Amino acid sequence: MSTSPAKPGKTAIVVGSGLAGLSAASQLLSHGISVHLLERAENPGGNSIKASSGINGAPTIYQPVEDTAFYSDTVKSAGKALFATRTKEREELISTLTNSSKGAVEWLVGEKGVDLSVVAQLGGHSVPRTHRGKRKTPPGASIIIALLKSLKENAEFNLETGCTVTQVLKTGNVVRGVEYICDEGEKVAMGPVIFASGGFAGDANGMLAVYRPDLKGYPSTNEPRPGSQTLLTGVGAQLLDMEQVQVHPTSFVDLKDVDNPVKFLAAEMLRGEGGLLLDSSGRRFVDEMQTRRVVTSAITALEEARGEGPRQWDVRIVLDEGVYESAKSHVDFYLWKGLMRKTTIADLGPGGSESIKDFADAAARRKTDLLGRKSFGNWSLSDPTAESVMYVGRVTPAVHFTMGGVVINERAEVLGAGDEKIEGLWAAGEVTGGVHGENRLGGSSLLECVVFGRIAGDEAARFLG
């Protein structure tokens, strides 16, 4: 990547070191702008570093089929929220997201050296478009490691961890900087600000309790931490879709620690590559390739498990050897963690055996799947027997992602009353609202971070001149 010489006295502040923040920082440095990045956790990477299914992109050279449906798939996934308010503005955000996806993948591969050559089809997608690498490192970690390495090689990049922003400084309608606190005390950083501080899915007793009290008691895939949107409403930012919270259908229930309210995500690509879901009696009950919203609703319609700490359900995710081979790096990790186990069909009981036989028939195109599933990934077991090898883990829905946040436009500018942009302030990633509507497609979180993070970096650089 070509990087312009640093412009004396020109520094931008980035809040949050997940993929949105690192993408913004990368763009700023490419324009010769110094970056001061603030991260409240002790280590950088945010939730992005844990992302396990991949990043969407279309059309790319890695896709096995032509893809012209990414925009329409995203609109369909957004649901009724798309037409409730700000329809034109939401469509512009979705258009920016999907039209920029090819370039996002090419940037990560071409400029940052990230392998994204493996493509899978996830729930809610009409074709395979979710990219990951061939090696053991999950895609989120691969991307974060590559970007951090590149950033740390630049002398104009300054990262402070363990530092929490406490106030955004604004004069008139222009943001001038932030106040923040670290172990050594209170500090001030001056310059235009890009917020990439994430959502509020881990804020169980704060923002989540305010906007979605019905989710009380649900486990979460997020570590407990407060949301940061109030810092931005404090300088006039609008909020949108705050009630739209994504409950991911499959987080692992660790059988050694059933009551732990913080869960480890069972990657959506497990279902995309051919995995199926069984209830406690061994019955399939949903097309596993539906959107997260639909699959979660099907699970929570089942009888809830009793006598356990969080609200959770007794559902098993089941993979055959073909799925295992296609998702080997993920499954080996889950096996090592004790979240999955290798067993046989006989261990799943009569109900499970019958369900797997029906599923295998549908995957082999001997019959139509009664639940409507059309894509079976890399499921390879055609004639199951009691001794056929299976990989099994218990899963349950968990609060995972917040679609709501501050209002931005397609230039990542934060908007105040009357949609007036707040000068010197941009936002990208999960801290924003309006991109996903009622449901985020798997693979679009990392994509959102790259697309709008890079846009925010470009716009902040233009602001500084």
Side-chain angles (χ1 to χ4, degrees):
M1 178 184 69
S2 60
T3 301
S4 304
K7 299 175 181 178
K10 293 190 175 181
T11 300
I13 300 155
V14 178
V15 182
S17 68
L19 183 52
L22 299 186
S23 297
S26 297
Q27 290 303 107
L28 286 162
L29 291 174
S30 75
H31 292 292
I33 305 299
S34 299
V35 174
H36 188 176
L37 195 152
L38 301 172
E39 169 57 53
R40 58 183 164 180
E42 293 302 321
N43 297 304
N47 280 334
S48 302
I49 202 168
K50 299 188 290 185
S52 54
S53 287
I55 180 170
N56 293 331
T60 73
I61 61 171
Y62 305 111
Q63 289 179 277
V65 296
E66 183 180 356
D67 186 2
T68 59
F70 190 13
Y71 176 85
S72 59
D73 282 353
T74 304
V75 167
K76 182 179 179 181
S77 173
K80 295 178 182 177
L82 178 67
F83 305 103
T85 59
R86 304 182 64 86
T87 300
K88 178 177 179 294
E89 292 85 353
R90 292 175 189 268
E91 290 174 338
E92 288 174 349
L93 292 175
I94 294 173
S95 179
T96 300
L97 178 79
T98 57
N99 290 339
S100 303
S101 65
K102 177 177 184 286
V105 170
E106 290 175 344
W107 179 69
L108 290 171
V109 173
E111 292 201 24
K112 302 304 176 184
V114 181
D115 175 22
L116 295 172
S117 59
V118 178
V119 184
Q121 182 175 345
L122 304 189
H125 295 266
S126 58
V127 298
R129 64 169 69 97
T130 307
H131 297 64
R132 67 181 193 273
K134 295 176 181 176
R135 297 182 179 176
K136 289 186 176 182
T137 307
S142 295
I143 295 169
I144 293 296
I145 290 167
L147 264 63
L148 275 173
K149 180 178 182 294
S150 174
L151 290 167
K152 289 178 177 179
E153 291 170 351
N154 194 313
E156 298 303 319
F157 177 68
N158 175 29
L159 169 64
E160 284 192 272
T161 59
C163 296
T164 301
V165 173
T166 55
Q167 186 176 357
V168 179
L169 303 176
K170 182 183 176 193
T171 304
N173 191 45
V174 182
V175 168
R176 302 293 187 186
V178 297
E179 292 181 355
Y180 64 104
I181 187 167
C182 307
D183 287 343
E184 57 269 31
E186 296 180 352
K187 299 182 181 182
V188 175
M190 302 303 293
V193 180
I194 298 172
F195 255 79
S197 50
F200 56 93
D203 194 6
N205 297 315
M207 298 180 76
L208 199 59
V210 171
Y211 292 103
R212 287 297 301 273
D214 58 304
L215 295 178
K216 182 178 181 181
Y218 271 70
S220 176
T221 61
N222 293 255
E223 295 294 334
R225 64 177 60 181
S228 56
Q229 282 84 351
T230 52
L231 290 168
L232 300 177
T233 57
V235 292
Q238 298 182 70
L239 295 176
L240 180 66
D241 291 344
M242 294 297 282
E243 75 286 358
Q244 302 295 349
V245 175
Q246 185 167 82
V247 179
H248 196 289
T250 58
S251 68
F252 283 114
V253 177
D254 187 342
L255 299 183
K256 304 182 300 297
D257 192 13
V258 172
D259 292 340
N260 193 330
V262 179
K263 304 297 186 187
F264 202 93
L265 192 70
E268 185 157 345
M269 53 85 70
L270 297 179
R271 287 176 284 127
E273 293 288 5
L276 59 93
L277 298 176
L278 301 178
D279 67 14
S280 58
S281 65
R283 178 183 61 92
R284 275 184 74 226
F285 55 92
V286 68
D287 171 4
E288 296 87 354
M289 294 299 291
Q290 285 284 353
T291 63
R292 294 174 175 182
R293 183 186 182 94
V294 171
V295 178
T296 294
S297 295
I299 293 175
T300 56
L302 302 173
E303 184 177 356
E304 190 173 333
R306 301 298 177 190
E308 299 179 351
R311 293 187 63 190
Q312 48 198 26
W313 284 259
D314 189 4
V315 172
R316 285 169 288 178
I317 188 163
V318 181
L319 323 176
D320 78 340
E321 292 274 34
V323 181
Y324 167 74
E325 288 298 332
S326 65
K328 189 175 187 300
S329 60
H330 287 68
V331 180
D332 283 347
F333 178 73
Y334 300 147
L335 291 168
W336 176 75
K337 291 274 288 183
L339 300 172
M340 295 192 79
R341 59 193 174 88
K342 184 177 181 180
T343 185
T344 64
I345 288 180
D347 189 44
L348 301 178
S353 299
E354 189 64 28
S355 293
I356 289 171
K357 183 180 183 302
D358 289 342
F359 187 82
D361 284 342
R365 311 299 176 184
R366 291 190 291 262
K367 63 190 295 187
T368 301
D369 182 48
L370 294 178
L371 293 170
R373 182 164 178 165
K374 294 180 174 61
S375 172
F376 298 88
N378 286 290
W379 181 276
S380 61
L381 182 62
S382 178
D383 298 301
T385 68
E387 291 74 36
S388 298
V389 172
M390 295 283 112
Y391 298 83
V392 182
R394 181 181 167 191
V395 293
T396 192
V399 175
H400 179 57
F401 187 89
T402 50
M403 278 78 74
V406 297
V407 176
I408 60 168
N409 59 22
E410 70 276 12
R411 294 178 298 279
E413 296 166 327
V414 177
L415 304 181
D419 280 359
E420 182 181 2
K421 69 178 181 181
I422 301 173
E423 296 284 348
L425 182 63
W426 299 264
E430 198 178 352
V431 73
T432 68
V435 178
H436 306 292
E438 294 179 353
N439 182 77
R440 175 176 66 75
L441 288 173
S444 283
S445 177
L446 292 182
L447 175 62
E448 172 189 24
C449 289
V450 174
V451 168
F452 289 102
R454 294 184 72 204
I455 289 172
D458 288 339
E459 294 295 323
R462 186 175 293 111
F463 176 83
L464 283 167

